[in-house]
Amino acid sequence: MLLYRFYQKLRVIKRFNQILLIFFKAGFSVFLAQEGLKKHVPISHQLDTKLVQIQEEILAIKFRETLERLGPIFVKFGQVLSTSISFF
């Protein structure tokens, strides 16, 4: 039972790392550098964090493409975000 719990936690950590890498490769690592959070993410030293200004339209397109790459659950999450943001 203990080994199974360890295996489950390992799978969650592995998936979380995959998600972070996909977002970072899409260019969202710029936000880590801007907010000073780069030192808290161990894999961030492997990524190129050129500080560039990203237009909102391009950012929205990159965010959508990234969510599509992550799978259907993330697409649904993006749909929920798009409807909830319009209320603010």
Side-chain angles (χ1 to χ4, degrees), residues 2 9 12 15 23-25 42 53 58 61:
L2 182 65
K9 288 181 183 183
V12 169
R15 178 63 177 155
F23 272 109
F24 291 162
K25 287 180 182 178
Q53 287 292 82
I58 296 173
I61 292 169

mmCIF file with all atom_site columns, all heavy atoms in Angstrom, residues 2 9 12 15 23-25 42 53 58 61:
data_model
loop_
_atom_site.group_PDB
_atom_site.id
_atom_site.type_symbol
_atom_site.label_atom_id
_atom_site.label_alt_id
_atom_site.label_comp_id
_atom_site.label_asym_id
_atom_site.label_entity_id
_atom_site.label_seq_id
_atom_site.pdbx_PDB_ins_code
_atom_site.Cartn_x
_atom_site.Cartn_y
_atom_site.Cartn_z
_atom_site.occupancy
_atom_site.B_iso_or_equiv
_atom_site.pdbx_formal_charge
_atom_site.auth_seq_id
_atom_site.auth_comp_id
_atom_site.auth_asym_id
_atom_site.auth_atom_id
_atom_site.pdbx_PDB_model_num
ATOM 1  N N   . LEU A 1 2  ? 1.923  1.244  0.774   1.00 0.00 ? 2  LEU A N   1
ATOM 2  C CA  . LEU A 1 2  ? 2.818  2.391  0.849   1.00 0.00 ? 2  LEU A CA  1
ATOM 3  C C   . LEU A 1 2  ? 3.514  2.624  -0.486  1.00 0.00 ? 2  LEU A C   1
ATOM 4  O O   . LEU A 1 2  ? 3.654  3.769  -0.929  1.00 0.00 ? 2  LEU A O   1
ATOM 5  C CB  . LEU A 1 2  ? 3.855  2.173  1.955   1.00 0.00 ? 2  LEU A CB  1
ATOM 6  C CG  . LEU A 1 2  ? 4.831  3.319  2.186   1.00 0.00 ? 2  LEU A CG  1
ATOM 7  C CD1 . LEU A 1 2  ? 4.084  4.545  2.676   1.00 0.00 ? 2  LEU A CD1 1
ATOM 8  C CD2 . LEU A 1 2  ? 5.880  2.906  3.185   1.00 0.00 ? 2  LEU A CD2 1
ATOM 9  N N   . LYS A 1 9  ? 2.095  9.538  -6.054  1.00 0.00 ? 9  LYS A N   1
ATOM 10 C CA  . LYS A 1 9  ? 2.692  10.858 -5.849  1.00 0.00 ? 9  LYS A CA  1
ATOM 11 C C   . LYS A 1 9  ? 3.750  11.145 -6.905  1.00 0.00 ? 9  LYS A C   1
ATOM 12 O O   . LYS A 1 9  ? 3.859  12.262 -7.398  1.00 0.00 ? 9  LYS A O   1
ATOM 13 C CB  . LYS A 1 9  ? 3.288  10.961 -4.446  1.00 0.00 ? 9  LYS A CB  1
ATOM 14 C CG  . LYS A 1 9  ? 2.249  11.053 -3.369  1.00 0.00 ? 9  LYS A CG  1
ATOM 15 C CD  . LYS A 1 9  ? 2.867  11.168 -2.007  1.00 0.00 ? 9  LYS A CD  1
ATOM 16 C CE  . LYS A 1 9  ? 1.775  11.181 -0.944  1.00 0.00 ? 9  LYS A CE  1
ATOM 17 N NZ  . LYS A 1 9  ? 2.310  11.360 0.395   1.00 0.00 ? 9  LYS A NZ  1
ATOM 18 N N   . VAL A 1 12 ? 2.036  12.209 -10.106 1.00 0.00 ? 12 VAL A N   1
ATOM 19 C CA  . VAL A 1 12 ? 1.528  13.579 -10.022 1.00 0.00 ? 12 VAL A CA  1
ATOM 20 C C   . VAL A 1 12 ? 2.668  14.567 -10.216 1.00 0.00 ? 12 VAL A C   1
ATOM 21 O O   . VAL A 1 12 ? 2.538  15.552 -10.961 1.00 0.00 ? 12 VAL A O   1
ATOM 22 C CB  . VAL A 1 12 ? 0.804  13.816 -8.681  1.00 0.00 ? 12 VAL A CB  1
ATOM 23 C CG1 . VAL A 1 12 ? 0.520  15.279 -8.456  1.00 0.00 ? 12 VAL A CG1 1
ATOM 24 C CG2 . VAL A 1 12 ? -0.469 13.002 -8.616  1.00 0.00 ? 12 VAL A CG2 1
ATOM 25 N N   . ARG A 1 15 ? 3.719  14.611 -13.909 1.00 0.00 ? 15 ARG A N   1
ATOM 26 C CA  . ARG A 1 15 ? 2.771  15.338 -14.761 1.00 0.00 ? 15 ARG A CA  1
ATOM 27 C C   . ARG A 1 15 ? 2.870  16.838 -14.527 1.00 0.00 ? 15 ARG A C   1
ATOM 28 O O   . ARG A 1 15 ? 2.819  17.629 -15.469 1.00 0.00 ? 15 ARG A O   1
ATOM 29 C CB  . ARG A 1 15 ? 1.347  14.851 -14.502 1.00 0.00 ? 15 ARG A CB  1
ATOM 30 C CG  . ARG A 1 15 ? 0.284  15.568 -15.296 1.00 0.00 ? 15 ARG A CG  1
ATOM 31 C CD  . ARG A 1 15 ? 0.424  15.367 -16.778 1.00 0.00 ? 15 ARG A CD  1
ATOM 32 N NE  . ARG A 1 15 ? -0.672 16.028 -17.473 1.00 0.00 ? 15 ARG A NE  1
ATOM 33 C CZ  . ARG A 1 15 ? -0.616 16.442 -18.709 1.00 0.00 ? 15 ARG A CZ  1
ATOM 34 N NH1 . ARG A 1 15 ? 0.462  16.246 -19.425 1.00 0.00 ? 15 ARG A NH1 1
ATOM 35 N NH2 . ARG A 1 15 ? -1.648 17.046 -19.264 1.00 0.00 ? 15 ARG A NH2 1
ATOM 36 N N   . PHE A 1 23 ? 4.429  24.941 -20.593 1.00 0.00 ? 23 PHE A N   1
ATOM 37 C CA  . PHE A 1 23 ? 4.190  26.380 -20.453 1.00 0.00 ? 23 PHE A CA  1
ATOM 38 C C   . PHE A 1 23 ? 5.475  27.181 -20.637 1.00 0.00 ? 23 PHE A C   1
ATOM 39 O O   . PHE A 1 23 ? 5.474  28.221 -21.287 1.00 0.00 ? 23 PHE A O   1
ATOM 40 C CB  . PHE A 1 23 ? 3.571  26.701 -19.085 1.00 0.00 ? 23 PHE A CB  1
ATOM 41 C CG  . PHE A 1 23 ? 2.082  26.629 -19.077 1.00 0.00 ? 23 PHE A CG  1
ATOM 42 C CD1 . PHE A 1 23 ? 1.434  25.602 -18.418 1.00 0.00 ? 23 PHE A CD1 1
ATOM 43 C CD2 . PHE A 1 23 ? 1.316  27.578 -19.720 1.00 0.00 ? 23 PHE A CD2 1
ATOM 44 C CE1 . PHE A 1 23 ? 0.055  25.525 -18.402 1.00 0.00 ? 23 PHE A CE1 1
ATOM 45 C CE2 . PHE A 1 23 ? -0.069 27.514 -19.710 1.00 0.00 ? 23 PHE A CE2 1
ATOM 46 C CZ  . PHE A 1 23 ? -0.700 26.485 -19.050 1.00 0.00 ? 23 PHE A CZ  1
ATOM 47 N N   . PHE A 1 24 ? 6.579  26.698 -20.089 1.00 0.00 ? 24 PHE A N   1
ATOM 48 C CA  . PHE A 1 24 ? 7.840  27.416 -20.205 1.00 0.00 ? 24 PHE A CA  1
ATOM 49 C C   . PHE A 1 24 ? 8.344  27.442 -21.640 1.00 0.00 ? 24 PHE A C   1
ATOM 50 O O   . PHE A 1 24 ? 8.840  28.451 -22.121 1.00 0.00 ? 24 PHE A O   1
ATOM 51 C CB  . PHE A 1 24 ? 8.898  26.816 -19.296 1.00 0.00 ? 24 PHE A CB  1
ATOM 52 C CG  . PHE A 1 24 ? 8.624  27.038 -17.829 1.00 0.00 ? 24 PHE A CG  1
ATOM 53 C CD1 . PHE A 1 24 ? 9.257  26.260 -16.884 1.00 0.00 ? 24 PHE A CD1 1
ATOM 54 C CD2 . PHE A 1 24 ? 7.746  28.004 -17.388 1.00 0.00 ? 24 PHE A CD2 1
ATOM 55 C CE1 . PHE A 1 24 ? 9.022  26.445 -15.532 1.00 0.00 ? 24 PHE A CE1 1
ATOM 56 C CE2 . PHE A 1 24 ? 7.494  28.201 -16.049 1.00 0.00 ? 24 PHE A CE2 1
ATOM 57 C CZ  . PHE A 1 24 ? 8.143  27.426 -15.114 1.00 0.00 ? 24 PHE A CZ  1
ATOM 58 N N   . LYS A 1 25 ? 8.203  26.323 -22.341 1.00 0.00 ? 25 LYS A N   1
ATOM 59 C CA  . LYS A 1 25 ? 8.647  26.265 -23.737 1.00 0.00 ? 25 LYS A CA  1
ATOM 60 C C   . LYS A 1 25 ? 7.794  27.151 -24.627 1.00 0.00 ? 25 LYS A C   1
ATOM 61 O O   . LYS A 1 25 ? 8.247  27.596 -25.674 1.00 0.00 ? 25 LYS A O   1
ATOM 62 C CB  . LYS A 1 25 ? 8.639  24.828 -24.236 1.00 0.00 ? 25 LYS A CB  1
ATOM 63 C CG  . LYS A 1 25 ? 9.757  24.005 -23.654 1.00 0.00 ? 25 LYS A CG  1
ATOM 64 C CD  . LYS A 1 25 ? 9.728  22.584 -24.162 1.00 0.00 ? 25 LYS A CD  1
ATOM 65 C CE  . LYS A 1 25 ? 10.839 21.767 -23.525 1.00 0.00 ? 25 LYS A CE  1
ATOM 66 N NZ  . LYS A 1 25 ? 10.809 20.369 -23.966 1.00 0.00 ? 25 LYS A NZ  1
ATOM 67 N N   . PRO A 1 42 ? 12.921 24.952 -9.805  1.00 0.00 ? 42 PRO A N   1
ATOM 68 C CA  . PRO A 1 42 ? 14.226 24.334 -10.052 1.00 0.00 ? 42 PRO A CA  1
ATOM 69 C C   . PRO A 1 42 ? 14.605 24.183 -11.523 1.00 0.00 ? 42 PRO A C   1
ATOM 70 O O   . PRO A 1 42 ? 15.764 24.306 -11.869 1.00 0.00 ? 42 PRO A O   1
ATOM 71 C CB  . PRO A 1 42 ? 14.109 22.963 -9.393  1.00 0.00 ? 42 PRO A CB  1
ATOM 72 C CG  . PRO A 1 42 ? 12.962 23.062 -8.468  1.00 0.00 ? 42 PRO A CG  1
ATOM 73 C CD  . PRO A 1 42 ? 12.060 24.117 -9.008  1.00 0.00 ? 42 PRO A CD  1
ATOM 74 N N   . GLN A 1 53 ? 8.422  42.117 -24.438 1.00 0.00 ? 53 GLN A N   1
ATOM 75 C CA  . GLN A 1 53 ? 7.039  42.511 -24.295 1.00 0.00 ? 53 GLN A CA  1
ATOM 76 C C   . GLN A 1 53 ? 6.200  41.653 -25.238 1.00 0.00 ? 53 GLN A C   1
ATOM 77 O O   . GLN A 1 53 ? 6.501  41.540 -26.414 1.00 0.00 ? 53 GLN A O   1
ATOM 78 C CB  . GLN A 1 53 ? 6.865  43.986 -24.643 1.00 0.00 ? 53 GLN A CB  1
ATOM 79 C CG  . GLN A 1 53 ? 7.431  44.925 -23.588 1.00 0.00 ? 53 GLN A CG  1
ATOM 80 C CD  . GLN A 1 53 ? 6.634  44.855 -22.319 1.00 0.00 ? 53 GLN A CD  1
ATOM 81 O OE1 . GLN A 1 53 ? 6.838  43.957 -21.512 1.00 0.00 ? 53 GLN A OE1 1
ATOM 82 N NE2 . GLN A 1 53 ? 5.732  45.768 -22.132 1.00 0.00 ? 53 GLN A NE2 1
ATOM 83 N N   . ILE A 1 58 ? -1.251 38.127 -29.002 1.00 0.00 ? 58 ILE A N   1
ATOM 84 C CA  . ILE A 1 58 ? -0.330 37.012 -29.185 1.00 0.00 ? 58 ILE A CA  1
ATOM 85 C C   . ILE A 1 58 ? -0.306 36.135 -27.936 1.00 0.00 ? 58 ILE A C   1
ATOM 86 O O   . ILE A 1 58 ? -0.274 34.910 -28.031 1.00 0.00 ? 58 ILE A O   1
ATOM 87 C CB  . ILE A 1 58 ? 1.080  37.525 -29.530 1.00 0.00 ? 58 ILE A CB  1
ATOM 88 C CG1 . ILE A 1 58 ? 1.061  38.257 -30.878 1.00 0.00 ? 58 ILE A CG1 1
ATOM 89 C CG2 . ILE A 1 58 ? 2.085  36.393 -29.542 1.00 0.00 ? 58 ILE A CG2 1
ATOM 90 C CD1 . ILE A 1 58 ? 2.341  38.947 -31.223 1.00 0.00 ? 58 ILE A CD1 1
ATOM 91 N N   . ILE A 1 61 ? -3.334 33.875 -27.915 1.00 0.00 ? 61 ILE A N   1
ATOM 92 C CA  . ILE A 1 61 ? -3.201 32.786 -28.885 1.00 0.00 ? 61 ILE A CA  1
ATOM 93 C C   . ILE A 1 61 ? -2.234 31.728 -28.368 1.00 0.00 ? 61 ILE A C   1
ATOM 94 O O   . ILE A 1 61 ? -2.512 30.523 -28.455 1.00 0.00 ? 61 ILE A O   1
ATOM 95 C CB  . ILE A 1 61 ? -2.746 33.332 -30.250 1.00 0.00 ? 61 ILE A CB  1
ATOM 96 C CG1 . ILE A 1 61 ? -3.854 34.185 -30.866 1.00 0.00 ? 61 ILE A CG1 1
ATOM 97 C CG2 . ILE A 1 61 ? -2.352 32.200 -31.196 1.00 0.00 ? 61 ILE A CG2 1
ATOM 98 C CD1 . ILE A 1 61 ? -3.432 34.976 -32.070 1.00 0.00 ? 61 ILE A CD1 1
#
